[in-house]
Amino acid sequence: MTRLTEKLRLSFYIPTRFLSLLSLSSTLHLCNSIARFLHSQTLLPFFFSMDNNLFSDNVDDFSDDLDSSSYSLRLNRRLPDSDHLDFALDRVYLLPYRWWIDAEGEGDRVEGVLYTVCSNDDSESEILLHLKKEEDSEKIKSLEAGFLGRHYALVPEGVWLRALKRYNDFNNAAKDFVRLFYAEDCLPDLFPLQLRIFVSWETSSLVAKISEKENVPEFYKKACDIFNSAYDSLYIWDFSGQTTQLLLNDKPRVPNDSSGQPGKEVLLELQVHGLADSMKGSQSNGMVTDRSQMECTSNGDPVTMNGSTGAVIPYVTANNYFQGSSYRAVRSLGLTGLHNLGNTCFMNSAIQCLAHTPKLVDFFLGDYRREINYENPLGMNGELALSFGDLLRQLWVPGASPLAPKMFKMKLANFAPQFSGYMQHDSQELLAFLLDGLHEDLNRVKRKPYHEVKDADGRPDGEVAEEYWRNHLARNDSIVVDSFQGQFRSTLICPFCKKVSITFDPFMYLSLPLPSTTTRTMTVTVISTDGVTLPSAITVTVPESGTLKDLIGALAASCSLRDDETLLVAEIYTNKIFRVLEDKSDSLADIRDLDKLVAYRVQKYTEDSPVVVFRHELVVEIYKGRFDSKIFGSPLVARVSGISCGDDLRREFLNLMNPFLMQNSEETKDEYDKDEDVDGDDTKKLNEVDELGETDNSEAIESDAVSNSGAEDDIHLWTDFEFYLLLPGRGGTYKITSKEPLPAAMLSGNLEVAVVWSDKMLKKYDMSLLDPLPQVFRPQLITKRTQESISIYKCLEAFLREEPLGPEDMWYCPTCKEHQQATKKLDLWRLPEILVVHLKRFSYNRFFKNKLETFVDFPTNDLDLSTFVAHQTCPSPNCYMLYAIICHYGGLGGGHYTAFVRYGHDKWYEFDDSRVAPADEETIKTPAAYVLFYKKVQMKTKTLGSAV
């Protein structure tokens, strides 16, 4: 059989069996359902997985066939209809009723239908069960309270998984964890049972047939013990809705004049849990003989969980059939790995952390499909939520093997193309997209109302915050909002009019910076523009993870920067300005140790004073008769006002070059300086300036100006220095002459001038002071750096610190009527149930990428944020317990993601793709910690009784 034929065979076999469970309507209805199935590929893998064995993982083998271009086409919006019945998507489990009652949660409690069961076991090859719906309300109440006879419960798979998880969490919270699990008589069993069920309209009951031919002999033998008529009365509570739906679907098939013919048989696979050989232990009460004998405790005392006793009492059988496999399955509940599909460790680690988020797990193990919003234009047709919910359920199936999340990966790439393929990605970016996508798919708001954003305008913060939060919930209401979203108070202050704007914005996670506690030494050449001070190399100490603002502040203090001056920091490369460092928020990590930096002391900005850059060039012969210009030295920069002609630029350039005139040079008495008095006395005064570059001798500057003005009329000076204006964007030059006015169009912005030197001028000036420049840092010895450590509270302080907005994030001030670089202050106002903390280890810009290996010390049990919450009157606790971590090992070029998850009360496991292994709590704190997951807990306080 070819592969295509096999696929077609599977396609028709799977939905036919499934749709037989779904309804008992006409053949036309069945054909329509098959046609709908062939167009609804997104549900095919899920249906297929429902036909597999409980502990198998064959869904991914089939998903390979679906990973094609035809399947990747996005479907039209899928709306629920009468044929799309959610109840049939789950398996049905038969459980001990008392175990279920004690293990169920608030969200699992639904109205059940009680059936009295009569069995006919006259035949050795078939068990016939008659289920008669109990109508007597008084009898129902007495049976519900008294547990007389044998009581079983039918529940859907998700609800069973939630109960099993609570049962497992309860056992894990016990003090004697090992001893508790060692008691194998407390371990449940699980086995499948095939039966055929139909409606008997003659007796107005349901009839179920269990055939020996359709079941494993051992399982059939167990069924004979469970449904043996020789024991007490048998009752089944249906909480799945399957039997009710079966009656509703089959009733229209019976005509009014029907003689009571039986309905169509439906094949049902029942998962039996906790009932193996139960009848051997006692024939009087069926399941449990005595409460005290069957409580799973280590010392006979009730186990305490969350401050209460008896929250969950697991009633199980006295003897289990699959003791070994059940032991492993229950103990490993939720400890299922994910195969790496190729650089998908970023996705696996995030999924594992979400798959162990308590409230989220309970939600997706329940009937979450009822909350899917198929009408949300911002959503993903519910496909992302369905795919994630299916994957999460597979992860929590007892005894499951490692899964290959191919279907989820395909759905993710379908809606987020940036995650397509098999390239490396950021786990936090995936987490942010996934939470946002799940929220939109599960948003309970069908029509989002419009609310105009209002400023505080002097109103109390509490009133404004509640208004913002109500408006937010009116548009956004989902399990993600309930669990993950908190609220900021954002304060903006205009630097000019002092306008204060206060808003309250929701947040999904906290992205905390990592302030550095280590320092870095940097050497920068400071060049003055006063015409007197020589360049000087200044070494300063700045934070290793600091910003350009830190560097400029340190330089300004070292060189005694005046109030009317500012520092223009630039990187010099090949004797030209490679880049100007303007954004004071840029990280110093972008500056390498081998770079060469210059800080120009220039006058502060005014509208009529452009910055002029003078670049030094020399004409050299590169070949016989061929000449070219060569750049040398370091550029000089000045802020010049009132430029009109070439003489203005030449005068400013000569002023900048004054500090470089060589002393006692024979060339100082040439035609350039005919005035001997000026050349002798005044030049000597200029060169006697102290080494710090400061002088109060204004006469020296004035005499130099006289010297320049006296030589201005000598035409040969324009042959010693030639000036060319470099045209930006055109690649050409414009020669500047002495008296010719400069074009007004060229004076609209900053200017770059190329100065061509003559050989005679090279002998007059000492250009060695401008070339070579010192590097930012030259290490003398290779020393081992100590591990940097910082507290997570310091990261929070840095995140909440007041700071000015960047030039690209200007705020529009309603008072000034223009964008201003306001100061911003964030405060925590409302904290979520689940707090996700993102440690910003990666920094990117247009030049470099960097990862910080800083060790962040974070608490695992008692993260107290009370001092960071501005809303101190809030009664909600602000203490958190760590339950999951995403770790990143390696660098930016080739790293690897793993996850740590708290399992139970104090057990930790490491999820490294498909490998899951126990971990010590001491090993989870590493410099690789990247995303932290905290859940809110009650603050531990001593009661009056305990104090006494």
Side-chain angles (χ1 to χ4, degrees):
M1 182 182 293
T2 64
R3 185 172 183 178
L4 178 61
T5 306
E6 180 66 12
K7 287 172 61 177
L8 291 175
R9 185 186 68 81
L10 290 173
S11 302
F12 281 91
Y13 169 73
I14 296 165
T16 302
R17 174 181 172 185
F18 176 76
L19 291 173
S20 66
L21 297 176
L22 190 62
S23 65
L24 298 176
S25 55
S26 63
T27 304
L28 179 61
H29 173 81
L30 180 63
C31 295
N32 291 336
S33 301
I34 294 176
R36 186 182 302 106
F37 167 80
L38 294 176
H39 289 282
S40 303
Q41 296 100 321
T42 54
L43 292 179
L44 177 59
F46 185 81
F47 295 163
F48 182 76
S49 66
M50 292 297 99
D51 288 327
N52 292 336
N53 185 273
L54 178 65
F55 301 138
S56 67
D57 186 31
N58 297 331
V59 63
D60 298 305
D61 299 334
F62 191 73
S63 64
D64 284 336
D65 299 335
L66 299 176
D67 193 5
S68 62
S69 58
S70 60
Y71 180 77
S72 62
L73 295 175
R74 292 181 58 175
L75 302 176
N76 294 328
R77 187 173 306 279
R78 186 176 65 251
L79 296 176
D81 51 35
S82 59
D83 299 325
H84 183 75
L85 301 176
D86 289 339
F87 75 90
L89 294 177
D90 280 334
R91 291 184 178 187
V92 182
Y93 287 73
L94 184 68
L95 316 173
Y97 178 69
R98 294 184 65 177
W99 184 93
W100 160 247
I101 290 299
D102 288 325
E104 69 174 344
E106 292 291 338
D108 304 330
R109 296 179 182 175
V110 295
E111 285 292 330
V113 179
L114 177 61
Y115 292 93
T116 301
V117 183
C118 298
S119 63
N120 180 8
D121 51 0
D122 295 338
S123 174
E124 296 183 356
S125 61
E126 186 178 72
I127 303 173
L128 197 63
L129 302 176
H130 294 270
L131 285 75
K132 182 70 174 179
K133 184 178 179 181
E134 192 63 55
E135 303 289 351
D136 189 348
S137 59
E138 295 296 330
K139 184 178 180 180
I140 293 176
K141 291 181 180 179
S142 62
L143 290 174
E144 188 175 11
F147 296 105
L148 298 175
R150 291 170 292 168
H151 288 247
Y152 303 148
L154 285 174
V155 299
E157 181 181 45
V159 176
W160 171 74
L161 284 174
R162 283 205 293 185
L164 195 62
K165 178 180 177 296
R166 282 190 292 272
Y167 164 82
N168 191 58
D169 293 342
F170 171 80
N171 286 344
N172 290 341
K175 297 179 180 179
D176 195 351
F177 180 83
V178 177
R179 184 178 175 185
L180 178 66
F181 265 112
Y182 185 74
E184 292 189 356
D185 60 339
C186 292
L187 299 177
D189 64 339
L190 185 69
F191 66 91
L193 194 63
Q194 302 284 340
L195 57 88
R196 295 182 180 273
I197 188 169
F198 60 90
V199 180
S200 174
W201 296 107
E202 182 180 2
T203 60
S204 299
S205 63
L206 292 174
V207 180
K209 295 191 300 184
I210 306 175
S211 174
E212 184 179 12
K213 296 180 180 180
E214 297 179 341
N215 290 277
V216 177
E218 292 176 291
F219 296 164
Y220 179 77
K221 183 179 179 181
K222 291 155 66 70
C224 291
D225 292 334
I226 293 173
F227 300 108
N228 196 319
S229 61
Y231 301 141
D232 291 342
S233 301
L234 176 61
Y235 302 96
I236 293 181
W237 298 77
D238 180 20
F239 297 99
S240 67
Q242 291 274 22
T243 57
T244 302
Q245 192 65 46
L246 186 65
L247 290 169
L248 292 176
N249 289 343
D250 195 74
K251 190 171 183 179
R253 297 177 61 254
V254 181
N256 294 331
D257 57 350
S258 173
S259 59
Q261 295 296 324
K264 180 181 178 181
E265 291 185 351
V266 175
L267 179 63
L268 178 65
E269 181 177 296
L270 196 65
Q271 302 294 328
V272 182
H273 167 227
L275 297 176
D277 297 334
S278 63
M279 308 316 301
K280 295 180 180 180
S282 173
Q283 298 183 9
S284 60
N285 59 6
M287 177 64 187
V288 180
T289 57
D290 183 74
R291 181 184 181 98
S292 61
Q293 296 178 1
M294 300 309 298
E295 289 181 356
C296 293
T297 61
S298 58
N299 53 9
D301 299 327
V303 178
T304 302
M305 183 178 183
N306 295 333
S308 61
T309 60
V312 180
I313 303 296
Y315 291 92
V316 290
T317 63
N319 298 290
N320 291 289
Y321 187 77
F322 289 153
Q323 289 183 345
S325 62
S326 299
Y327 173 81
R328 292 188 296 270
V330 176
R331 191 172 187 180
S332 62
L333 189 68
L335 300 179
T336 306
L338 292 169
H339 287 298
N340 194 320
L341 307 179
N343 285 329
T344 57
C345 57
F346 75 98
M347 180 181 73
N348 293 346
S349 59
I351 290 176
Q352 293 290 4
C353 291
L354 291 181
H356 289 83
T357 298
K359 196 171 182 179
L360 201 65
V361 174
D362 290 342
F363 175 80
F364 278 100
L365 292 183
D367 192 9
Y368 71 94
R369 298 180 188 90
R370 296 185 182 275
E371 295 198 13
I372 292 181
N373 189 341
Y374 295 99
E375 303 174 9
N376 189 358
L378 301 178
M380 302 169 194
N381 303 340
E383 295 182 30
L384 185 64
L386 287 170
S387 180
F388 179 78
D390 180 29
L391 178 60
L392 188 142
R393 288 192 176 191
Q394 294 180 56
L395 289 174
W396 279 95
V397 168
S401 303
L403 305 172
K406 298 178 182 178
M407 188 59 60
F408 177 79
K409 173 72 165 56
M410 186 166 56
K411 290 292 183 183
L412 182 69
N414 194 23
F415 294 103
Q418 66 268 28
F419 298 117
S420 61
Y422 300 96
M423 300 294 292
Q424 293 186 355
H425 296 281
D426 192 327
S427 182
Q428 188 272 333
E429 293 180 1
L430 168 73
L431 181 68
F433 171 81
L434 182 55
L435 287 177
D436 186 65
L438 291 176
H439 158 65
E440 296 296 349
D441 270 0
L442 300 170
N443 196 349
R444 304 179 185 105
V445 179
K446 306 300 182 181
R447 296 289 185 269
K448 295 185 177 183
Y450 171 76
H451 293 284
E452 185 177 355
V453 178
K454 299 179 181 178
D455 207 346
D457 291 332
R459 292 183 293 164
D461 286 347
E463 176 185 340
V464 180
E466 286 300 321
E467 177 183 307
Y468 270 81
W469 191 247
R470 286 195 306 269
N471 293 342
H472 176 66
L473 294 183
R475 297 174 55 85
N476 303 276
D477 184 17
S478 69
I479 182 64
V480 177
V481 175
D482 298 341
S483 304
F484 291 90
Q485 288 197 357
Q487 192 177 28
F488 282 136
R489 180 179 66 182
S490 177
T491 305
L492 290 171
I493 302 178
C494 178
F496 294 96
C497 68
K498 305 303 178 182
K499 163 69 176 177
V500 178
S501 173
I502 299 178
T503 57
F504 293 85
D505 306 313
F507 68 87
M508 190 89 72
Y509 50 85
L510 300 180
S511 289
L512 304 185
L514 304 185
S516 178
T517 58
T518 59
T519 58
R520 174 187 183 187
T521 58
M522 302 182 70
T523 300
V524 181
T525 303
V526 178
I527 300 179
S528 179
T529 60
D530 60 4
V532 176
T533 309
L534 288 170
S536 60
I538 297 179
T539 300
V540 294
T541 301
V542 294
E544 186 176 23
S545 60
T547 61
L548 179 62
K549 180 180 178 181
D550 299 320
L551 176 61
I552 292 178
L555 291 173
S558 299
C559 68
S560 302
L561 194 70
R562 298 196 305 267
D563 293 339
D564 61 339
E565 289 182 316
T566 186
L567 289 178
L568 181 65
V569 182
E571 179 185 347
I572 304 301
Y573 181 69
T574 62
N575 304 109
K576 295 185 293 186
I577 293 180
F578 176 68
R579 58 171 175 150
V580 177
L581 307 180
E582 296 179 307
D583 191 351
K584 293 185 178 181
S585 63
D586 284 346
S587 173
L588 294 181
D590 300 338
I591 301 175
R592 299 171 298 179
D593 289 342
L594 299 181
D595 292 342
K596 299 177 180 180
L597 296 185
V598 171
Y600 297 99
R601 297 180 60 165
V602 297
Q603 297 296 313
K604 287 188 175 180
Y605 170 77
T606 57
E607 294 184 359
D608 60 342
S609 58
V611 172
V612 181
V613 179
F614 294 98
R615 194 174 74 187
H616 312 287
E617 294 187 3
L618 184 66
V619 177
V620 295
E621 185 177 5
I622 60 175
Y623 195 65
K624 296 179 180 179
R626 295 182 59 184
F627 297 88
D628 199 359
S629 60
K630 174 186 176 182
I631 303 175
F632 68 99
S634 297
L636 298 178
V637 176
R639 192 179 293 278
V640 185
S641 59
I643 301 176
S644 60
C645 61
D647 285 337
D648 297 330
L649 290 176
R650 184 178 64 86
R651 185 185 304 109
E652 186 61 35
F653 174 74
L654 294 177
N655 179 62
L656 295 175
M657 291 301 303
N658 274 334
F660 303 96
L661 280 171
M662 291 186 292
Q663 298 182 8
N664 302 325
S665 173
E666 295 296 332
E667 299 296 331
T668 57
K669 295 183 179 180
D670 59 5
E671 296 179 356
Y672 178 69
D673 293 315
K674 295 182 179 180
D675 191 334
E676 296 181 357
D677 294 335
V678 174
D679 184 64
D681 298 336
D682 293 340
T683 304
K684 183 177 181 181
K685 292 178 182 178
L686 286 175
N687 289 281
E688 290 177 350
V689 178
D690 60 13
E691 295 181 357
L692 294 178
E694 297 182 355
T695 179
D696 293 331
N697 193 345
S698 59
E699 294 179 0
I701 300 177
E702 292 175 359
S703 62
D704 180 73
V706 172
S707 175
N708 289 336
S709 62
E712 235 173 26
D713 297 332
D714 297 337
I715 192 61
H716 68 276
L717 292 180
W718 282 91
T719 60
D720 294 335
F721 290 110
E722 295 183 359
F723 297 86
Y724 295 88
L725 187 63
L726 302 180
L727 305 179
R730 306 178 186 178
T733 59
Y734 175 83
K735 188 173 182 179
I736 301 174
T737 57
S738 175
K739 301 297 183 181
E740 182 179 353
L742 296 176
M746 298 182 182
L747 303 177
S748 58
N750 297 332
L751 305 178
E752 186 174 6
V753 179
V755 182
V756 180
W757 288 57
S758 65
D759 294 337
K760 182 171 63 175
M761 292 297 102
L762 288 175
K763 298 177 182 180
K764 288 177 62 69
Y765 295 94
D766 185 7
M767 295 299 291
S768 63
L769 299 175
L770 294 176
D771 192 21
L773 297 176
Q775 297 176 353
V776 169
F777 179 74
R778 181 182 293 275
Q780 301 298 326
L781 296 174
I782 300 178
T783 58
K784 185 178 180 180
R785 299 181 57 184
T786 59
Q787 176 66 56
E788 185 179 3
S789 176
I790 191 172
S791 169
I792 192 173
Y793 296 108
K794 292 293 183 182
C795 300
L796 274 167
E797 291 175 0
F799 175 71
L800 301 175
R801 186 178 300 126
E802 181 178 312
E803 60 181 4
L805 297 176
E808 67 281 359
D809 298 323
M810 303 280 278
W811 170 64
Y812 182 80
C813 177
T815 303
C816 300
K817 303 299 181 181
E818 60 179 310
H819 289 86
Q820 304 288 2
Q821 194 170 358
T823 58
K824 184 176 182 178
K825 176 71 170 66
L826 287 178
D827 293 292
L828 298 178
W829 187 265
R830 186 191 307 266
L831 292 178
E833 292 293 324
I834 302 298
L835 180 64
V836 180
V837 179
H838 166 226
L839 303 177
K840 298 175 67 174
R841 295 192 177 276
F842 303 106
S843 61
Y844 307 90
N845 59 30
R846 55 182 177 177
F847 299 108
F848 303 103
K849 299 179 181 179
N850 184 46
K851 180 189 176 184
L852 298 177
E853 298 289 349
T854 304
F855 176 81
V856 179
D857 186 13
F858 49 87
T860 58
N861 294 309
D862 51 357
L863 176 67
D864 190 359
L865 302 181
S866 300
T867 58
F868 297 93
V869 178
H871 193 200
Q872 296 294 343
T873 59
C874 181
S876 177
N878 299 315
C879 294
Y880 288 85
M881 181 177 69
L882 183 72
Y883 72 89
I885 310 173
I886 295 178
C887 296
H888 181 269
Y889 300 92
L892 295 173
H896 181 61
Y897 285 97
T898 64
F900 287 105
V901 171
R902 185 192 292 264
Y903 192 77
H905 182 66
D906 58 354
K907 299 291 182 181
W908 286 89
Y909 281 84
E910 182 182 15
F911 289 77
D912 186 357
D913 289 332
S914 60
R915 186 184 69 87
V916 181
D920 296 330
E921 185 171 339
E922 294 76 15
T923 63
I924 67 175
K925 289 186 177 183
T926 67
Y930 182 44
V931 182
L932 310 176
F933 293 78
Y934 283 92
K935 60 181 178 181
K936 186 175 289 188
V937 294
Q938 295 291 335
M939 185 179 299
K940 298 179 180 179
T941 57
K942 290 186 177 181
T943 61
L944 181 61
S946 63
V948 174

